[in-house]
Amino acid sequence: MAIVTLKNALASFGEDVVLDHVDLVIEAGERLCLSGRNGSGKSTLLKILSNEKNLDDGQLWRQEKLVFSTLEQDLPENSDKTVFEVVAGVFESMGEKLAEYHRLAHELTPDAVDRFANLQQQIEAGDGWSFSHRIDSILDKLKLDGDVRLDQLSGGWRKRVAIARSLVRDPDVWLLDEPTNHLDIPMIQWLENLLLDFEGTIIFVSHDRELMRSVATGVVDIDRGRLTKWECGYDEFIERRDHQREVEETHNKKFDERLKKEEIWIRQGIKARRTRNEGRVRDLEKMRVERASRRTSGQLKMAIDSGDSSGKIVKELIHVKKSFGDDEIISDFSLIVQRGDRIGMVGPNGCGKSTLIKLMLEEIKPDAGEVKTGTKLKVAYFDQLRDKLNPEMSVSDYISEGREYIDISGKSTHVVTYLGNFMFSPDQSRAPIRTLSGGEQNRLLLARLFSLPANLLVLDEPTNDLDIESLELLEEMLLTFDGTVLIVSHDRLFMDNVVSSLLVFDGNGYIEEHVGGYSDWQTYQKAMKKAFGNKKKDKSSSKSSASASQNSKGFGDNGSANTVDEPISHEERKKQKADRKKLEKEMVKLPQQIEKDEAKVTELQKQMAEDSFYAKSSEEQAQVYDGLKLLETQIDTAMTRWAEVEELLENTAF
């Protein structure tokens, strides 16, 4: 059943037409992803659907009594307001009453008793308790503490507050503009499940391809003012869209060839003009109008000045440690970065990814350990460029620093031509940076980055706000780049497509190096958990006897602890926390050791498979056999201990 209809809709900003007399029908229960290049009109369409922006022409019909709610790109303002106050603010005056009541309920003084009673009456008269129940329900669902102030929350948790604000309206249609911004990978996966559980209609803008694959039941593509609805998943949409563009390109080539012939014909001599067909002339005029009205999209061309090659060793970290106060951010980490490595960094927000980059670039010093830098190193750091983005500066001046030409790989290139490779028109080149969309500003940052001669690229969240085409071309560029790349990103597919290895941060100071992309890491984790399960099954009988023994020492028949708790001193609590921290460290080191031992086993098995192995002396063969047996014993012992540590951690909580 149709719940929203756009008919002959026109939307523009000055002379820039973003929706050129388009039609769209949205059915109840659909999960539609809006696709298109930066600045194509995706956010504009969301605003039109929510009635925040009016059409310049055409009609918008929305089913009566539908509740629309929008999750904006921007985070809630960082203030001393509590989560409850911010979420309740959606309900305006009633929300203010509920927030005040909530505050007084936590700190009621004799002077405020009358005010408290008065608020109760007002809330009851305005059916405010139903709103209060809805707020509490949403906060509970999203695991938010209503009493925490916003200025105490990270960006990811403030994003969760924004999600709560949009959901507390109990919308029929949920509009989301770049919902994955500020979220780390675990929270993006959490958001995926939240979207899949939502029972209404979803229309969202995102450049996270994994999210689009998982959530979208259809795609609305905005391209040069035209709008096309594809009733299929994301992968099938990409195939269909690319085929459509190939057909369009073939048609345009044939059209241009025919137009060229007709232009030659009309410019023939006096004899040809005397005998020309007037109908053919009218057709030519129509062709000229059609060609003039064709809107081209331009083609993104990324290339980077890789400068001179660095030395073979780019960076070496030796037993590096870094803490801020009592928080150990990096604990005894060693790493060798070689020329040509493409290393990705993943982990929860605040786990130390940016800290490690700053240590490697020697912007900060380690508390212990050493950072060595190779020879002939030229660094381009993406995150630093953001700080230098002056909104009042023109686009071209930001790239060229006032010059008409810039040097790229030893060649002099006009700045407007260079910016054209990044899909900036001549008018945009002269315009101030503040006129660009978020995605266009990110593309400008990449244009600046790639104009710098560098053999080490450091990219901290380079994919934010980039459209799909820009993302794919950035991936291609990084794969052909001769230098070394360090990347921090929450885009799982981007990591899969670009990096050769991962540094996985656990949030407790430990970093694990893993060969392959994010999907490889997930596969490895699942395999290790499966191996765990098998080990636990093997030990089930011994655990049962141990449990029976424990029951006689303070545990009930059902295995739960007695209801009478012994008081725990501060020293004991401190010791328990220290013991748990040791277990957490061991939990990180064990799989690393298992992985190293398994690699050694594979190497020995390769030696044994070679014909030359049997030409060795019996003593040499026995040495290999003994080494293999020792490694297998070590792996088995480590696996058993890993299961024990996991169980100990599950049974202790602080």
Side-chain angles (χ1 to χ4, degrees):
M1 179 181 68
I3 58 172
V4 179
T5 302
L6 276 175
K7 190 173 182 180
N8 201 31
L10 173 68
S12 59
F13 293 96
E15 296 181 359
D16 186 15
V17 178
V18 292
L19 296 177
D20 192 359
H21 297 97
V22 301
D23 298 329
L24 176 64
V25 176
I26 298 172
E27 304 282 343
E30 288 189 300
R31 296 195 299 268
L32 298 178
C33 176
L34 304 187
S35 173
R37 283 183 172 176
N38 297 131
S40 62
K42 301 184 294 294
S43 296
T44 300
L45 179 56
L46 283 184
K47 290 177 180 177
I48 289 168
L49 295 174
S50 65
N51 263 343
E52 188 180 339
K53 175 178 171 55
N54 295 324
L55 290 170
D56 297 321
D57 194 15
Q59 297 176 340
L60 168 65
W61 173 84
R62 306 195 318 178
Q63 188 182 94
E64 289 185 9
K65 298 182 180 179
L66 280 182
V67 178
F68 284 70
S69 184
T70 302
L71 175 64
E72 303 285 355
Q73 285 193 40
D74 297 332
L75 293 175
E77 184 180 351
N78 197 358
S79 68
D80 60 359
K81 287 185 177 181
T82 65
V83 170
F84 188 95
E85 285 179 276
V86 172
V87 176
V90 168
F91 300 116
E92 299 175 345
S93 61
M94 181 54 72
E96 292 177 9
K97 293 181 177 68
L98 287 169
E100 186 180 358
Y101 179 87
H102 184 82
R103 186 172 61 254
L104 290 176
H106 283 70
E107 47 188 50
L108 188 59
T109 62
D111 296 338
V113 171
D114 290 341
R115 175 58 181 164
F116 188 70
N118 183 256
L119 281 170
Q120 274 185 314
Q121 292 175 356
Q122 292 183 50
I123 292 169
E124 191 165 342
D127 192 28
W129 298 124
S130 64
F131 296 133
S132 179
H133 174 72
R134 202 186 296 175
I135 295 167
D136 291 337
S137 176
I138 287 295
L139 294 182
D140 182 62
K141 182 176 182 179
L142 303 190
K143 295 181 171 56
L144 287 165
D145 185 345
D147 298 323
V148 174
R149 298 201 320 258
L150 254 66
D151 56 14
Q152 296 174 319
L153 296 177
S154 66
W157 280 96
R158 282 164 57 205
K159 186 74 171 187
R160 195 179 285 220
V161 174
I163 292 170
R165 273 179 62 89
S166 64
L167 277 180
V168 78
R169 298 178 186 272
D170 196 17
D172 301 295
V173 182
W174 195 12
L175 310 173
L176 304 98
D177 198 353
E178 293 293 353
T180 61
N181 282 1
H182 311 286
L183 297 183
D184 55 31
I185 291 176
M187 289 193 76
I188 291 172
Q189 292 170 327
W190 166 84
L191 176 64
E192 281 181 11
N193 293 326
L194 187 68
L195 292 171
L196 291 169
D197 289 340
F198 183 71
E199 295 181 353
T201 303
I202 294 175
I203 304 164
F204 68 101
V205 175
S206 179
H207 299 133
D208 189 305
R209 290 161 290 180
E210 286 295 324
L211 183 82
M212 295 164 77
R213 279 176 173 170
S214 174
V215 173
T217 59
V219 180
V220 176
D221 187 40
I222 305 174
D223 182 23
R224 291 161 286 169
R226 298 174 303 188
L227 189 151
T228 308
K229 182 179 179 183
W230 305 83
E231 295 180 346
C232 59
Y234 174 72
D235 289 330
E236 188 175 345
F237 153 70
I238 292 294
E239 291 179 12
R240 291 189 190 182
R241 184 204 64 185
D242 290 348
H243 175 69
Q244 185 189 60
R245 287 183 177 178
E246 288 174 10
V247 171
E248 179 184 352
E249 187 176 352
T250 301
H251 168 78
N252 287 342
K253 282 181 180 178
K254 290 180 179 178
F255 180 92
D256 292 345
E257 288 172 3
R258 184 182 162 208
L259 177 60
K260 185 178 179 181
K261 290 177 182 177
E262 293 300 293
E263 292 290 0
I264 293 171
W265 170 79
I266 199 70
R267 287 173 175 77
Q268 285 178 352
I270 296 172
K271 181 179 178 182
R273 286 201 296 272
R274 272 200 228 108
T275 59
R276 68 190 178 195
N277 184 303
E278 292 302 322
R280 189 172 177 181
V281 174
R282 286 192 295 271
D283 288 342
L284 175 57
E285 291 296 331
K286 290 178 183 177
M287 290 176 70
R288 286 172 173 170
V289 171
E290 183 180 340
R291 179 63 184 85
S293 65
R294 184 193 301 169
R295 296 175 66 180
T296 57
S297 60
Q299 186 176 2
L300 185 65
K301 300 174 184 176
M302 289 189 183
I304 187 164
D305 186 350
S306 58
D308 298 326
S309 294
S310 67
K312 185 177 180 181
I313 302 298
V314 175
K315 289 282 180 178
E316 184 176 4
L317 280 68
I318 305 168
H319 298 296
V320 167
K321 295 182 180 180
K322 186 66 183 177
S323 298
F324 294 104
D326 294 332
D327 294 329
E328 190 175 44
I329 305 300
I330 296 172
S331 175
D332 194 18
F333 179 60
S334 298
L335 175 73
I336 295 176
V337 180
Q338 300 190 64
R339 183 177 62 236
D341 283 349
R342 296 190 304 277
I343 301 173
M345 302 183 192
V346 297
N349 287 331
C351 66
K353 300 186 291 292
S354 296
T355 299
L356 180 61
I357 284 178
K358 289 175 182 177
L359 284 167
M360 293 173 78
L361 297 181
E362 299 181 65
E363 291 184 3
I364 59 175
K365 293 183 178 180
D367 299 332
E370 186 179 1
V371 178
K372 294 182 178 180
T373 300
T375 58
K376 300 179 182 178
L377 199 63
K378 293 182 179 179
V379 181
Y381 185 14
F382 181 76
D383 193 59
Q384 286 179 330
L385 297 178
R386 287 192 178 102
D387 298 332
K388 300 175 183 177
L389 203 59
N390 181 354
E392 300 305 320
M393 184 182 287
S394 74
V395 172
S396 59
D397 283 347
Y398 175 71
I399 294 294
S400 65
E401 299 177 341
R403 304 187 305 274
E404 276 192 69
Y405 291 86
I406 57 175
D407 290 330
I408 304 294
S409 299
K411 294 181 181 179
S412 183
T413 304
H414 197 281
V415 64
V416 175
T417 302
Y418 178 72
L419 285 167
N421 293 336
F422 289 81
M423 296 191 299
F424 291 107
S425 67
D427 288 340
Q428 283 181 308
S429 300
R430 292 185 287 270
I433 291 171
R434 59 179 163 76
T435 62
L436 302 179
S437 68
E440 288 169 331
Q441 288 188 19
N442 243 25
R443 207 187 315 135
L444 178 62
L445 289 171
L446 290 173
R448 172 65 176 155
L449 182 82
F450 297 164
S451 70
L452 304 173
N455 48 38
L456 173 60
L457 289 181
V458 182
L459 308 175
D460 198 345
E461 292 294 350
T463 63
N464 281 353
D465 298 321
L466 287 183
D467 57 55
I468 302 300
E469 191 169 350
S470 300
L471 274 173
E472 291 172 347
L473 287 165
L474 175 59
E475 289 171 355
E476 290 179 18
M477 187 282 299
L478 291 175
L479 288 172
T480 57
F481 177 55
D482 291 334
T484 307
V485 185
L486 303 176
I487 303 171
V488 175
S489 178
H490 297 313
D491 189 320
R492 293 159 288 175
L493 189 59
F494 182 77
M495 288 297 213
D496 274 343
N497 292 343
V498 171
V499 305
S500 55
S501 64
L502 284 180
L503 298 179
V504 183
F505 293 68
D506 76 336
N508 295 310
Y510 284 86
I511 306 168
E512 180 177 353
E513 189 176 6
H514 181 79
V515 176
Y518 187 77
S519 294
D520 298 317
W521 162 250
Q522 282 192 312
T523 301
Y524 169 73
Q525 287 291 91
K526 289 175 183 176
M528 297 309 289
K529 284 181 180 178
K530 186 177 179 181
F532 261 167
N534 293 335
K535 286 289 180 184
K536 286 182 177 179
K537 287 176 185 177
D538 293 340
K539 296 178 65 183
S540 60
S541 58
S542 60
K543 287 180 184 176
S544 297
S545 60
S547 297
S549 173
Q550 271 192 318
N551 283 339
S552 63
K553 298 180 181 180
F555 281 75
D557 293 336
N558 61 357
S560 60
N562 287 335
T563 56
V564 179
D565 293 327
E566 292 292 330
I568 298 175
S569 68
H570 175 72
E571 288 73 17
E572 287 175 316
R573 175 70 68 179
K574 192 173 180 181
K575 182 179 181 303
Q576 287 179 346
K577 287 186 176 181
D579 289 343
R580 180 176 176 83
K581 197 164 187 179
K582 287 179 183 177
L583 289 173
E584 287 173 345
K585 290 180 178 180
E586 191 176 3
M587 189 68 177
V588 173
K589 287 184 176 179
L590 281 167
Q592 294 175 343
Q593 186 58 51
I594 290 168
E595 192 173 10
K596 288 178 182 177
D597 287 346
E598 286 177 339
K600 291 177 183 177
V601 166
T602 302
E603 184 60 35
L604 290 178
Q605 288 173 340
K606 283 182 182 177
Q607 290 182 30
M608 293 166 63
E610 293 174 359
D611 294 337
S612 58
F613 175 76
Y614 297 99
K616 294 181 178 180
S617 66
S618 57
E619 289 81 6
E620 289 175 311
Q621 291 182 28
Q623 190 176 1
V624 173
Y625 289 134
D626 291 342
L628 183 62
K629 188 175 180 180
L630 178 62
L631 285 168
E632 288 173 343
T633 302
Q634 286 178 192
I635 291 170
D636 188 59
T637 303
M639 291 289 286
T640 302
R641 177 57 183 165
W642 195 7
E644 291 171 352
V645 172
E646 185 185 47
E647 185 180 2
L648 287 168
L649 287 172
E650 285 175 356
N651 294 331
T652 58
F654 297 99

